[in-house]
């Protein structure tokens, strides 16, 4: 420390430090600042008492708990409960709603169901069906009007509940034999039936003899499930082979491959994982994507 | 100090104040502590104008929330209302929606240009008469005067030891200040909710937390800024004095001491000749009247808020010593120079700066007016689904999904007809009402409503992958229409 030095301009003592001729004034702290500082100290003591603050032995949960018992876990739980409560009315109405028509005719409920359904779809369904429910090869497009297991609101909801080839006791199976891989049909027979199936969808330019042979194979092997005219059967999940939509690809090679290996998809059952009104909301959203069938019209004619 | 005081009296009722301007820049030391300013009450035309302006400004601020404006049953009837929950801003006949936030920008641009224009013409009149800091400080000083008396009494009271007299005067003053501050904070929240409802809820504890928070913050800031900080706000906190320098020039009217007439200044005894000296008798009436603590005779300076109280103070003295008034007056720098040079004063109001500001203001104002008067009561927006872009249906036809958004800005529930012009064979349906309504939709008053539409085109009519679709929407029974154009994607003919 050098000797005492008074700054000429201000009359204030300096700290005695000097850097290249620059000295630091030893001004007192501004009072307003000081008071805020003291108030902060006082407040911190209050805070230690009220809120969880100090590390403590494990017997005390690892920290002091504070006399007001504040905990972020409890806060989050409370917030979630408040959120649930605010939605409870809608969920009750969804649970009580009798079918799509009842939901649709209640605009507020309809909006809620669509929003809840969309968000649930984004969480659980978009992994396979895509963010816009547009589907991928092997994963159905839910925007179109083609449904393996029925496209009425009730059908969609039931599919969501039990899943396909899931662990749900009432789950549903459809099983197409792997005609090529298991040696049930020769490669040539598969090509014939492929051409026949394509002709059912209106494709032309096939050899007449091949079509005859393919037709014979179809009647023997395929008609049980897909129907004599190839229109499919929603009760056993057999796709309609006469429409423009193909789940595993529409090129001759892809269709041939499909017959060869006999593919099938899997969807989890959502009962038990999502609550009932949420499944209803999800069904409402999927139904409203634009491809849903009216319940009365959902007879036989559909397939994927 | 006071020994020479009464010897200098030059006329009855004229007293010479032995003071230095506390904010005199030439005298002010670095790191000097703030000195309390005790503005003396003056009488005169500018003081009167300021009282009137204060009455109008405070009256407007406190009572505008109670004005009503009938907008029909669906909208609030408060004339000026910032409705955050409903996301609307109501200002008499103007109604601003969130999408039209540019009107607020326009309003701010107009306010800025107006401020520039008056600054170029009249200097800092905003600061002197209209700035809330000035208005509330003026009011607080008036209250102070009621409890503690005028300048000299206040100085004496502050120097006196604590007594019952001092205690009740100080308590009374601060109590009234808090009341005014509370009313200020209270009136603020009335602009954000129905005033009558808010008022009753506020006192029964039913208002939202934010209302009490803003009430508290504005009460606190009014109390501290107008009560204790006063001129420091203008000198240290406000950016306008700095900007001001660029907005004004030597032709602008500013409160000015006419050096040409006042100097050389000095005490003047009754009966003495006025020859060979200036009119300023150095009584410092202007200094004690100044709420900013400056001496206007030092010329135009940053601290001056142009409140013109020194003009009133000086005119009063000039009348008493029998000299013409206007020694301190609104004047231009140029004219003071011209008078000193023996030239006649010239007032040049039409200067390029003024014209540029005026024209900009007129343009901004016209654009706003045009925008507001031709504002559409209907807006239509169409968003096409992008995921998936299109859907192939079982019969081969292609479907696109759209979200049609109709904004009904009228105060009536309306039915709208939608027309869709698109590719041949186009079929449509609107989600939720295909069976009953056809292409008409209902939109409630003052609402934005979304509709999901599906357009389907048969496979055999598709010729290109990208076709134009035009939605035309019109309220039933009106010829107003809005169109929105979009496309239909199909992946092209097979």
């Amino acid at each position: 420390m050098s000797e005492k030095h008074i700054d000429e301009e201000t009359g204030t003592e300096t700290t005695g430090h000097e850097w290249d001729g620059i000295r630091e004034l030893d001004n007192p702290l501004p009072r307003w600042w000081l008071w805020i500082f003291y108030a902060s100290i006082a407040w911190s003591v209050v805070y230690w008492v009220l809120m969880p603050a100090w590390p403590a032995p494990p017997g005390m949960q690892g920290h002091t708990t504070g006399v007001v018992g504040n905990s972020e876990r409890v806060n989050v739980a409370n917030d979630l409960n408040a959120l649930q409560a605010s939605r409870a009315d809608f969920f009750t109405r969804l649970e009580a709603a009798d079918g799509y028509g009842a939901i649709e005719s209640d605009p507020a409920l309809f909006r809620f169901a669509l929003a809840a359904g969309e968000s649930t779809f984004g969480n659980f369904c978009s992994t396979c069906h895509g963010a816009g429910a547009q589907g991928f090869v092997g994963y159905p497009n839910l925007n179109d009007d083609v449904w393996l297991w029925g496209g009425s609101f009730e059908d969609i909801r039931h599919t969501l509940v039990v899943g396909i080839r899931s662990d749900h006791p009432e789950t549903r199976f459809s099983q197409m034999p792997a005609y090529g891989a298991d040696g049930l049909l020769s490669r040539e027979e598969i090509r014939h039936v492929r051409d026949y199936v394509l002709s059912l969808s209106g494709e032309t330019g096939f050899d007449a003899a091949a079509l005859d042979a393919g037709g014979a194979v179809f009647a023997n092997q395929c008609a049980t499930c897909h129907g004599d005219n190839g229109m499919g059967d929603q009760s056993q999940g057999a796709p309609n082979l006469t429409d423009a939509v193909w789940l595993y690809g529409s090129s001759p090679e892809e269709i041939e491959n499909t017959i060869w290996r006999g593919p099938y998809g899997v969807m989890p059952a959502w009962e038990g994982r999502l609550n009932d009104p949420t499944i209803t909301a999800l069904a409402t959203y999927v139904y409203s994507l634009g491809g849903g069938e009216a319940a009365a019209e959902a007879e036989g004619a559909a397939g994927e | 100090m006071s020994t020479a005081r009464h010897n200098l009296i030059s006329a009855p009722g004229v007293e010479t104040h032995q003071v230095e301007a506390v904010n005199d820049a030439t005298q002010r030391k670095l790191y000097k502590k703030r000195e309390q300013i005790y503005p003396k009450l003056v009488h005169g035309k500018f003081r009167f104008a300021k009282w009137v302006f204060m009455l109008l400004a405070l009256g407007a601020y406190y009572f505008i929330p109670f004005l009503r404006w009938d907008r029909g049953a669906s909208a609030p009837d408060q004339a000026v209302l910032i409705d955050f929950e409903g996301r609307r801003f109501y200002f008499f006949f103007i109604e601003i929606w969130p999408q039209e936030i540019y009107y607020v920008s326009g309003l701010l641009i107009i306010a800025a240009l107006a401020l520039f224009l008056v600054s170029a013409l009249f200097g800092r009149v905003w600061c002197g008469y209209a700035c809330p800091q000035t208005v509330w400080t003026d009011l607080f000083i008036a209250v102070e005067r009621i409890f503690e008396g005028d300048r000299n009494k206040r100085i004496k009271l502050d120097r006196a030891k604590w007594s019952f007299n001092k205690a009740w005067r100080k308590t009374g003053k601060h109590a009234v200040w808090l009341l005014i501050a509370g009313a200020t904070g209270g009136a603020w929240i009335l602009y954000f909710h129905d005033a009558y409802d808010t008022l009753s809820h506020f006192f029964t504890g039913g208002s939202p937390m934010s209302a009490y928070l803003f009430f508290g913050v504005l009460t606190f800031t009014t109390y501290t800024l107008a009560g204790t900080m006063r001129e420091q706000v203008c000198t240290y906190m406000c950016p306008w004095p700095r900007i001001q320098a660029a907005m004004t020039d030597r032709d602008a009217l500013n409160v000015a001491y006419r050096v040409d007439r006042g100097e050389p200044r000095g005490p003047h005894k009754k009966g003495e000749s006025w020859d060979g000296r200036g009119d300023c008798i150095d009584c410092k009436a202007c200094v004690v009247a100044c709420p900013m603590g400056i001496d206007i005779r030092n010329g135009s300076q940053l601290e001056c808020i142009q409140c013109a109280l020194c003009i009133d103070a000086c005119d009063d003295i000039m009348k008493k010593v029998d000299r013409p008034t206007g020694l301190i007056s609104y004047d231009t720098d140029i004219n003071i120079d011209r008078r000193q040079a023996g030239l006649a004063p010239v007032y040049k109001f039409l200067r390029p700066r003024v014209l540029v500001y005026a024209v900009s203001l007129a343009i901004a104002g016209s654009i706003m007016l045009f925008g507001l008067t031709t504002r559409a009561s209907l807006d239509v927006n169409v968003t096409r689904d992008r995921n998936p872009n299109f859907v192939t249906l079982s019969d081969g036809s292609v479907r696109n999904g759209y979200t049609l958004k109709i904004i009904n800005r009228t105060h009536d529930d309306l039915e709208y007809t939608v027309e869709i012009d698109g590719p041949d064979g186009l079929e449509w349906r609107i989600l939720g009402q295909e069976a009953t309504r056809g292409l008409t939709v209902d939109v409630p008053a003052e609402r934005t409503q979304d509709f999901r539409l599906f357009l389907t085109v048969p496979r055999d009519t598709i010729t290109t992958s990208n076709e134009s679709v035009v939605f035309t929407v019109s309220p039933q029974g009106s010829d107003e229409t809005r169109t929105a154009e979009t496309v239909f994607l199909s992946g092209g003919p097979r």
Side-chain angles (χ1 to χ4, degrees), chain A residues 9-10 25 27 31 100 104 110-111 114 131-134 141 143-146 203 243-245 288-291, chain B residues 29-31 33 385 387-388 390-397 399 429-434 447 449 452 454 494:
Chain A
E9 182 65 33
T10 57
L25 292 181
N27 273 319
R31 261 187 310 166
Y100 182 78
E104 192 190 356
F110 190 47
R111 262 199 304 282
L114 289 184
Q134 76 277 26
N141 179 349
N143 290 280
D144 63 24
D145 60 345
V146 170
E203 299 288 321
D243 62 23
V245 176
S288 74
L289 285 171
Chain B
K29 286 197 67 174
L30 211 58
Y31 305 108
K33 214 179 149 194
D385 288 1
N387 188 13
F390 61 89
V391 178
T392 306
L393 300 180
S394 56
D395 62 359
S397 59
R399 199 187 67 211
R429 68 192 182 90
I430 300 177
L431 183 67
Q433 58 187 63
E434 50 267 21
R447 279 288 181 76
Q449 200 88 305
R452 287 275 296 148
F454 296 111
R494 184 180 274 171

Side-chain angles (χ1 to χ4, degrees), chain B residues 425-447:
Chain B
L426 184 78
E427 282 182 43
W428 52 263
R429 68 192 182 90
I430 300 177
L431 183 67
Q433 58 187 63
E434 50 267 21
T436 50
R437 291 293 304 278
L439 272 175
T440 58
V441 291
D442 287 325
V443 184
E446 293 202 55
R447 279 288 181 76

